[in-house]
Amino acid sequence: MRYLLPSLLLVALLAMLMLRGYVHSEILADHRVRPPDATGQVPDRILKGGPVIDARGTTAAKALKVPDRKLVLTFDDGPDPEWTPKVLDKLKKYNAHGVFFVTGTMASRHPDLVRRMVDEGHEVGLHTFNHPDLAYQTKSRIDWELTQNQLALAGAAGIRSSLFRPPYSSFSDAMDDKSWPVTEYIGSLGYITVLNNTDSEDWKRPGVDEIIRRAAPKGTSGSIVLMHDSGGDRSQTVAALDTFLPEMQARGFEFANLTEALGAPSAHTPVSGVELLKGKAFVGAVAVSEGTTAALVAGLAAIGVLVIGRFGLMLVLSFAHARKVRGRDFSWGPPVTEPVTVLVPAYNERECIANTVRSLMESDHPIEVIVIDDGSTDGTADIVEAMWLPNVHVVRQVNGGKPAALNNGIAHASHDIVVMMDGDTVFEPATVRELVQPFGDPAVGAVAGNAKVGNRDTLIGAWQHIEYVMGFNLDRRMYDLLRCMPTIPGAVGAFRRQALERVGGMSEDTLAEDTDITMAMHRDGWRVVYAERARAWTEAPESVQQLWSQRYRWSYGTMQAIWKHRRALIERGPSGRFGRVGLPLVSLFMVLFPLLAPLIDVFLLYGLVFGPTGNTILAWLGVLAVQAVCAAYAFRLDGERMVHLISLPLQQVLYRQLMYVVLLQSWITALTGGRLRWQKLRRTGAVEAPGATTARRTEGIRRPVA
């Protein structure tokens, strides 16, 4: 399911986009129009004959004329959802019939209008599927255009038609050596080609009076009149019908279908069986494609507005947060100088634990360190005990998971403030001191530190570095001011022991115990704040598989935490405030919207191949520019070098997609009732805090890229 369902969804989306592009003449369309050619190969009886050319059968092709006092109104290029109903209304008002030469693209998108045409007694003819100039096309393409056009008619109205009008056609005397072979071939397929006697040229919008003048026949001569019910603004055509129809009727003309005027059998043949089912399936697929893509486009537009708004809010509030906490007069309250307990849960952290503990020994704040060995099998606890460091204690337990290890550590803690960190993380000397200063405010129950990627000298590490600085720390500044911080990072966080006890300690209900405990703090009325100077250096996953495992757990655990604390939406007080501000923000921007974000890239690819390429590139560059501005500002706030932002465009193309698929898998796990277990990531112990002096140096260790 991890690969199958996302692949199926992607294939379905691409299929819908391709179908939509096909019926909107964005795919397989040919918009070339051929100039006139010589007429030497066209028989004189065709050039000098009527507008109806019957080249069916084995006899010579013949041209037919419409009898006197018969007018056949024809409308090309529809049906159009705006103008075709108005044309039909006018015909119904004056009890007139006409012939609608529909394209497959429009008929498949608006089948109800084709059904209305047939139900109200009008004839329907073919105008190809994509409206190409057939003189440029091969016989196989002509067959395809006609077959698909018939398929759309079958699905829309359950009929076939024997009437055909070539795109870009004119009078019979305009038939030339390029169009005549096409007409003969189409006749051999059983179609009657319908041209015209009078051309209203309504597509030029010459004015109502001019449309009427051009459409009117001379004397009592029968005529096929060319008009359009689609392809642009047809308001003048609709207005002209209000005058043209009664005027011609007053002159003794009858508006009839073509076969009625010629005294021939109806051009419509009912379809049934497999042919009908195929047509219905095609029209239904087009409807699903149209509806789905329209909804997705509307959703993307709404998401785009919200995301841009969030970026703007994030920039403004981050600036306000930095200005606030960096102000000369800012203070959390009395300085916090009393000792604190640092808890280090560890499971098979042999490669990292020595660096972690040594970094704590350089702390400029008095601390007690408790390493909780959660049933390690690689001698993690033995390494710590063999170091013989003061104020460092080891607590061993049977493997029970990180929440159980932390709760065990809290039970052994000697102090009222508890700092929590991961076994693969190293602190700077000032980290603990900076982390606990917000507890000078008695309303603060927990503090989030500034987690940084130490192994950023690989491409995956650099991408995660951008994500941590921009996506996590910039967010935390915003959430701090909004008082709805969703997560205290497990790598660097601090808690009042009293607050932990009031909410029942670390919960094992979710796989994101850090998010779970943070939400519980909010609901209990405590403030959760961000300490930007409390920096911790963590070892990010270095392979795609490890990254997948970590983010899969994070995503699924976040969804579990949101669901667990959902009652905050309807509660009062601090819990309700968090529920109506924090939970919607987290749900929208961390769980729901990212699911649709890959559509941006799908539409980008579609636009590059089939759409307006220049506009598509500009739009994507615009989105990238907004993200680059936010990232650059986040890097500036954190004092990071901008050089890592060089990989931002590639991150958006590759890394982001992985995160989306991970989130999708989390949804699949949640919706199918699956369970996800903790997965231990392989560590190298390659991360040290900048400026470390007593940590053991080993050859080949990679230092954080400052």
Side-chain angles (χ1 to χ4, degrees):
M1 291 296 288
R2 174 183 295 184
Y3 303 105
L4 179 60
L5 186 56
S7 299
L8 290 176
L9 289 174
L10 180 60
V11 169
L13 175 60
L14 289 175
M16 285 189 290
L17 278 177
M18 297 294 283
L19 181 57
R20 182 192 178 279
Y22 178 49
V23 299
H24 281 262
S25 297
E26 296 169 348
I27 298 175
L28 299 180
D30 186 346
H31 302 292
R32 297 174 296 170
V33 180
R34 181 185 53 81
D37 201 345
T39 61
Q41 299 177 14
V42 185
D44 286 344
R45 66 181 182 277
I46 300 297
L47 294 174
K48 298 177 181 179
V52 181
I53 301 175
D54 187 354
R56 299 174 296 174
T58 57
T59 59
K62 54 186 176 181
L64 307 175
K65 294 182 179 180
V66 176
D68 287 350
R69 297 191 182 279
K70 298 284 187 180
L71 283 183
V72 179
L73 275 179
T74 63
F75 300 91
D76 285 6
D77 299 341
D80 181 274
E82 180 177 1
W83 302 113
T84 300
K86 296 177 181 179
V87 169
L88 288 170
D89 290 343
K90 296 300 179 184
L91 295 175
K92 186 175 184 179
K93 177 180 178 182
Y94 295 102
N95 194 29
H97 286 155
V99 183
F100 291 83
F101 289 97
V102 301
T103 64
T105 59
M106 299 298 286
S108 60
R109 287 154 57 192
H110 309 291
D112 54 322
L113 293 176
V114 180
R115 284 193 296 270
R116 180 181 170 185
M117 294 171 187
V118 175
D119 291 343
E120 294 184 0
H122 305 288
E123 279 187 323
V124 178
L126 307 185
H127 201 43
T128 72
F129 193 88
N130 284 115
H131 203 273
D133 188 335
L134 295 184
Y136 280 119
Q137 311 306 320
T138 63
K139 287 185 178 180
S140 61
R141 174 63 185 268
I142 294 173
D143 291 342
W144 174 263
E145 289 286 335
L146 297 177
T147 301
Q148 292 298 106
N149 206 168
Q150 292 283 23
L151 185 66
L153 284 185
I159 63 167
R160 288 179 57 85
S161 177
S162 60
L163 302 182
F164 173 75
R165 172 171 284 167
Y168 311 107
S169 61
S170 181
F171 309 115
S172 57
D173 60 6
M175 188 74 66
D176 59 29
D177 294 346
K178 295 294 185 183
S179 56
W180 174 241
V182 174
T183 303
E184 287 186 298
Y185 178 69
I186 288 176
S188 71
L189 298 176
Y191 294 97
I192 296 174
T193 297
V194 183
L195 304 177
N196 61 280
N197 298 103
T198 57
D199 187 352
S200 68
E201 296 186 339
D202 56 346
W203 59 275
K204 295 181 179 179
R205 293 182 50 80
V208 172
D209 293 339
E210 186 63 17
I211 290 175
I212 294 172
R213 186 189 70 79
R214 295 174 181 178
K218 295 179 180 180
T220 61
S221 299
S223 180
I224 296 178
V225 182
L226 173 59
M227 291 184 170
H228 297 81
D229 63 328
S230 185
D233 184 350
R234 297 292 171 248
S235 57
Q236 291 185 3
T237 303
V238 174
L241 289 174
D242 240 345
T243 302
F244 182 72
L245 291 170
E247 279 189 0
M248 293 300 103
Q249 288 172 337
R251 286 174 52 181
F253 283 95
E254 176 188 353
F255 290 96
N257 291 334
L258 179 62
T259 55
E260 292 174 346
L262 296 177
S266 172
H268 294 170
T269 303
V271 298
S272 59
V274 175
E275 188 176 0
L276 179 61
L277 291 176
K278 287 169 62 178
K280 294 292 185 184
F282 177 71
V283 171
V286 171
V288 171
S289 172
E290 289 283 299
T292 303
T293 53
L296 291 176
V297 169
L300 281 178
I303 290 172
V305 171
L306 289 173
V307 169
I308 295 299
R310 177 175 176 266
F311 276 140
L313 181 65
M314 190 164 55
L315 288 175
V316 170
L317 293 184
S318 296
F319 174 79
H321 179 272
R323 186 171 183 179
K324 169 188 172 184
V325 300
R326 296 176 183 181
R328 293 183 178 180
D329 299 329
F330 175 77
S331 173
W332 292 105
V336 177
T337 58
E338 61 266 28
V340 301
T341 298
V342 179
L343 302 182
V344 186
Y347 173 71
N348 288 347
E349 299 287 0
R350 178 183 182 88
E351 293 81 6
C352 308
I353 196 66
N355 281 349
T356 298
V357 175
R358 285 197 179 95
S359 73
L360 292 173
M361 292 299 95
E362 296 187 7
S363 175
D364 59 13
H365 190 92
I367 60 172
E368 167 196 44
V369 178
I370 300 179
V371 177
I372 308 97
D373 183 81
D374 187 31
S376 297
T377 59
D378 65 347
T380 296
D382 297 335
I383 291 173
V384 177
E385 290 176 337
M387 296 171 72
W388 294 98
L389 296 173
N391 295 323
V392 176
H393 313 289
V394 175
V395 175
R396 298 173 184 259
Q397 68 174 40
V398 177
N399 181 257
K402 186 176 179 180
L406 289 170
N407 286 330
N408 195 2
I410 294 169
H412 286 82
S414 304
H415 305 296
D416 293 331
I417 296 176
V418 176
V419 173
M420 297 180 185
M421 66 183 300
D422 289 335
D424 60 352
T425 302
V426 294
F427 279 6
E428 296 179 5
T431 298
V432 174
R433 172 172 50 80
E434 294 287 353
L435 189 62
V436 301
Q437 293 312 304
F439 291 111
D441 180 351
V444 172
V447 182
N450 187 348
K452 291 191 167 294
V453 174
N455 53 329
R456 61 182 77 168
D457 52 346
T458 65
L459 188 58
I460 294 180
W463 288 343
Q464 292 178 88
H465 172 49
I466 296 173
E467 180 186 29
Y468 272 56
V469 176
M470 177 186 173
F472 296 163
N473 292 335
L474 205 60
D475 268 356
R476 289 191 180 101
R477 297 176 192 273
M478 176 182 70
Y479 287 129
D480 188 337
L481 287 189
L482 294 177
R483 296 198 172 189
C484 59
M485 184 89 64
T487 304
I488 295 173
V492 53
F495 300 84
R496 286 188 191 275
R497 187 169 182 170
Q498 175 191 2
L500 287 170
E501 292 171 349
R502 276 175 43 173
V503 300
M506 307 299 291
S507 173
E508 299 182 11
D509 294 339
T510 74
L511 290 176
E513 76 291 330
D514 44 6
T515 300
D516 191 353
I517 190 66
T518 308
M519 292 182 176
M521 290 283 175
H522 284 295
R523 296 185 66 190
D524 196 43
W526 294 98
R527 279 193 64 193
V528 180
V529 300
Y530 174 57
E532 62 175 351
R533 295 189 179 91
R535 290 181 290 269
W537 298 82
T538 185
E539 183 175 344
E542 293 193 328
S543 71
V544 173
Q545 182 59 49
Q546 291 176 356
L547 182 62
W548 179 289
S549 299
Q550 183 195 67
R551 300 310 169 87
Y552 191 12
R553 176 178 60 81
W554 286 6
S555 297
Y556 187 60
T558 298
M559 294 169 64
Q560 288 178 310
I562 292 172
W563 182 252
K564 176 180 177 179
H565 296 282
R566 64 190 183 278
R567 287 192 58 82
L569 287 167
I570 60 175
E571 292 176 342
R572 298 181 178 180
S575 180
R577 184 184 184 283
F578 171 74
R580 288 181 284 277
V581 178
L583 281 184
L585 284 175
V586 175
S587 301
L588 287 175
F589 293 106
M590 295 180 65
V591 176
L592 295 177
F593 285 2
L595 267 183
L596 298 178
L599 296 178
I600 298 174
D601 302 291
V602 173
F603 280 107
L604 167 66
L605 181 61
Y606 181 88
L608 289 175
V609 178
F610 303 111
T613 303
N615 292 340
T616 301
I617 293 175
L618 286 176
W620 187 78
L621 290 177
V623 173
L624 183 62
V626 172
Q627 293 177 318
V629 168
C630 291
Y633 182 64
F635 270 56
R636 183 175 180 274
L637 284 180
D638 266 21
E640 295 286 352
R641 295 174 59 195
M642 300 291 179
V643 65
H644 292 287
L645 293 180
I646 294 174
S647 63
L648 180 62
L650 195 58
Q651 184 207 41
Q652 297 302 301
V653 174
L654 299 178
Y655 180 80
R656 202 161 46 107
Q657 312 311 317
L658 177 62
M659 297 299 101
Y660 298 151
V661 178
V662 167
L663 182 59
L664 180 59
Q665 296 309 312
S666 301
W667 271 102
I668 294 171
T669 303
L671 295 176
T672 57
R675 295 186 62 84
L676 184 65
R677 297 179 294 106
W678 264 87
Q679 299 181 45
K680 170 65 180 169
L681 300 182
R682 183 181 63 83
R683 301 300 187 185
T684 65
V687 174
E688 295 180 0
T693 58
T694 62
R696 181 180 59 188
R697 313 293 178 137
T698 60
E699 185 177 356
I701 281 183
R702 291 172 295 168
R703 300 293 302 275
V705 181

